[in-house]
Amino acid sequence: AQKITQTQPGMFVQEKEAVTLDCTYDTSDQSYGLFWYKQPSSGEMIFLIYQGSYDEQNATEGRYSLNFQKARKSANLVISASQLGDSAMYFCAMREDPFSNDYKLSFGAGTTVTVRA
Amino acid sequence: GAVVSQHPSRVICKSGTSVKIECRSLDFQATTMFWYRQFPKQSLMLMATSNEGSKATYEQGVEKDKFLINHASLTLSTLTVTSAHPEDSSFYICSALLPGTGEKEAFFGQGTRLTVV
């Protein structure tokens, strides 16, 4: 079964507007971590934001915020004030049982974001 | 943030030859590194977990003899694609786990685009 689901293959957003990227996950673990990465056309994976399953506050990092709804098992990424440089592919990922030594990230299919001027 | 350097960024090789890809953690020691494969417009698929001083752990379906992984030092892991064929053409990307960050992010290299002709 797929652990991470990103249902939006592609999205367009106007410059300076906000965009929400959906991510739902599936796990039976009580303890897990959720990540968002940005992959520009050059290929490198850039870490954006992290949310631990026990974190009570939604994570925020500059223009990135994570809307964490544990009961719904969703971890949507919100990018505020979009910039042209935000155009990239965005991946949601999960690490289950983070206190084990088996640090494996499961990635979603990704969402391509295109910011329009 | 921590820096992971991957080399080469692009390589073209003839069918039947072997190609070595290096993944280096430049400013930290990484006991654990990961190798992923990514097809165009698709997600990252974990190939193997590389542990310094021990054999790599391969994911199901990944040919160990085809994709040789060596993690000889705390700052270097290599992936060798042996007897490469056109179907091995893909984007390969490594990541290194920054010690002491618990369930926090892994840092990714820039990726290597392999084309087998």
Side-chain angles (χ1 to χ4, degrees), chain B residues 24-40:
Chain B
R24 293 181 185 274
S25 55
L26 295 185
D27 51 1
F28 66 100
Q29 293 182 330
T31 55
T32 304
M33 293 185 175
F34 304 87
W35 287 95
Y36 296 85
R37 183 173 181 174
Q38 185 182 26
F39 291 105

Side-chain angles (χ1 to χ4, degrees), chain B residues 9 12 19 21 27 35 41 45 58 74 79 90 103 106 115:
Chain B
S9 57
I12 300 172
V19 174
I21 302 170
D27 51 1
W35 287 95
K41 305 293 184 184
M45 292 180 55
Y58 289 83
L74 287 171
L79 167 68
S90 189
E103 64 263 33
T115 304

Side-chain angles (χ1 to χ4, degrees), chain B residues 5-11 18-24 35-36 47 67-70 76-81 88 90-94 111-115:
Chain B
S5 177
Q6 191 171 335
H7 179 81
S9 57
R10 290 180 179 270
V11 58
S18 296
V19 174
K20 181 184 283 187
I21 302 170
E22 293 186 348
C23 180
R24 293 181 185 274
W35 287 95
Y36 296 85
M47 299 174 66
F67 299 101
L68 299 179
I69 291 173
N70 183 275
L76 174 65
S77 176
T78 60
L79 167 68
T80 302
V81 182
D88 298 325
S90 189
F91 188 70
Y92 295 87
I93 191 165
C94 69
T112 297
R113 198 165 301 280
L114 171 63
T115 304

Side-chain angles (χ1 to χ4, degrees), chain A residues 21 36-48 64 77 79 85-92 107-113, chain B residues 6 36-45 91-94 108-113:
Chain A
L21 308 184
W36 277 93
Y37 287 89
K38 172 184 177 181
Q39 187 179 41
S41 57
S42 53
E44 74 268 30
M45 294 286 284
I46 302 168
F47 167 75
L48 295 179
Y64 304 107
L77 176 70
I79 306 173
D86 294 334
S87 294
M89 198 154 183
Y90 290 80
F91 289 98
C92 180
F107 284 87
T111 297
T112 300
V113 172
Chain B
Q6 191 171 335
Y36 296 85
R37 183 173 181 174
Q38 185 182 26
F39 291 105
K41 305 293 184 184
Q42 294 190 24
S43 188
L44 279 71
M45 292 180 55
F91 188 70
Y92 295 87
I93 191 165
C94 69
F108 284 81
Q110 304 94 322
T112 297
R113 198 165 301 280

